[in-house]
């Protein structure tokens, strides 16, 4: 640990700047300017150089880019679909779930959507939250609540809440798809204007 810190200091800006100033002090010594106080001059110039050197800039942390994040979300979506295949849902909720999973599958398609989503961190976050949190939580809560409802009937049917949750998630995913479509349309219009301007 101490060795790595020492080696790090040797490569630091402070040491390099101090060393350059110290060499200037040696040059003054050899020209006779520093006189008998040359060690103090060299050490002082080294210290001054180390003090005026710009501070070290720590490296930025590396985070996965949106494409890598989407790959992870796709893998998690595969796990989620395996889980959903084992859950028995009422017909209406099952239909809404199918619509939602089909839309999510299209949004997570690596063929063409990845490039668009790579420029939309909020979109990546929306998909990640739906796959990793909202959808599994909605289904799992339904399964647990349904069990309790069977023990104590007379409560509001849990499938009503599940259907509403799936509808809201579908609307959110649909808004994301609409935003991506609009981005592509704007891109196409911009290219048309560029070609028109170029032809004038």
């Amino acid at each position: 640990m101490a060795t790595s810190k020492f080696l790090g200091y040797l490569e630091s800006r402070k040491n390099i700047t101090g060393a350059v100033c110290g060499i200037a002090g040696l040059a003054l010594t050899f020209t006779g300017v520093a006189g008998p106080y040359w060690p103090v001059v060299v050490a002082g110039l080294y210290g001054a150089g180390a003090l005026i050197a710009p501070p070290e800039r720590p490296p930025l942390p590396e985070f996965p880019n949106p494409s890598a994040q989407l790959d992870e979300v796709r893998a998690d979506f595969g796990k989620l679909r395996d889980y959903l295949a084992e859950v028995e849902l009422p017909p209406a909720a099952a239909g809404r779930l199918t619509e939602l999973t089909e839309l999510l599958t299209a949004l997570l398609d690596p063929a063409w959507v990845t490039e668009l989503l790579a420029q939309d961190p909020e979109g990546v976050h929306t998909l990640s939250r739906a796959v990793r949190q909202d959808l599994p939580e909605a289904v799992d809560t339904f399964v647990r609540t349904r069990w309790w409802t069977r023990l104590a009937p007379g409560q509001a049917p849990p499938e009503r809440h599940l259907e509403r949750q799936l509808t809201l998630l579908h609307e959110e995913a649909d808004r994301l798809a609409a935003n991506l479509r609009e981005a592509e349309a704007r891109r196409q219009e911009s290219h048309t204007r560029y070609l028109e301007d170029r032809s004038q």
Side-chain angles (χ1 to χ4, degrees):
M1 184 71 176
T3 304
S4 63
K5 282 187 176 181
F6 176 71
L7 291 175
Y9 179 75
L10 287 179
E11 298 173 351
S12 70
R13 295 177 183 177
K14 288 185 176 298
N15 183 51
I16 292 171
T17 306
V20 169
C21 291
I23 290 171
L26 286 175
L28 291 174
T29 299
F30 291 132
T31 57
V33 175
Y37 302 106
W38 68 269
V40 176
V41 171
V42 171
L45 285 173
Y46 175 87
L51 285 174
I52 65 170
E56 293 295 324
R57 185 172 64 88
L60 288 171
E62 292 185 10
F63 298 112
N65 60 38
S67 296
Q69 292 177 19
L70 282 172
D71 289 339
E72 294 174 3
V73 175
R74 281 189 200 99
D76 291 342
F77 185 55
K79 297 175 189 174
L80 177 61
R81 293 190 74 162
D82 292 341
Y83 160 74
L84 295 175
E86 298 178 8
V87 178
E88 183 182 341
L89 298 178
R96 293 191 181 181
L97 178 63
T98 299
E99 293 172 0
L100 175 58
T101 54
E102 286 175 354
L103 181 53
L104 290 174
T105 300
L107 286 170
L108 287 168
D109 178 37
W112 62 273
V113 184
T114 298
E115 182 181 344
L116 284 173
L117 282 173
Q119 302 166 18
D120 184 8
E122 280 299 316
V124 175
H125 175 69
T126 298
L127 284 175
S128 175
R129 184 179 56 201
V131 168
R132 294 172 171 165
Q133 178 181 338
D134 295 335
L135 183 51
E137 177 68 16
V139 174
D140 183 59
T141 303
F142 164 77
V143 171
R144 288 184 283 119
T145 306
R146 179 177 57 179
W147 184 81
W148 284 107
T149 303
R150 289 174 181 170
L151 293 179
Q155 305 295 321
E159 54 265 25
R160 187 178 304 161
H161 289 286
L162 177 61
E163 290 168 20
R164 180 64 181 145
Q165 291 166 5
L166 294 174
T167 299
L168 292 169
L169 288 172
H170 190 280
E171 290 172 357
E172 184 179 52
D174 202 37
R175 282 194 299 272
L176 174 59
N179 291 339
L180 294 174
R181 281 193 298 268
E182 288 175 11
E184 281 290 71
R186 286 193 301 270
R187 181 179 173 186
Q188 186 182 35
E189 290 169 4
S190 296
H191 190 59
T192 301
R193 284 195 299 271
Y194 163 73
L195 292 175
E196 289 172 347
D197 293 342
R198 197 174 68 180
S199 63
Q200 291 176 358

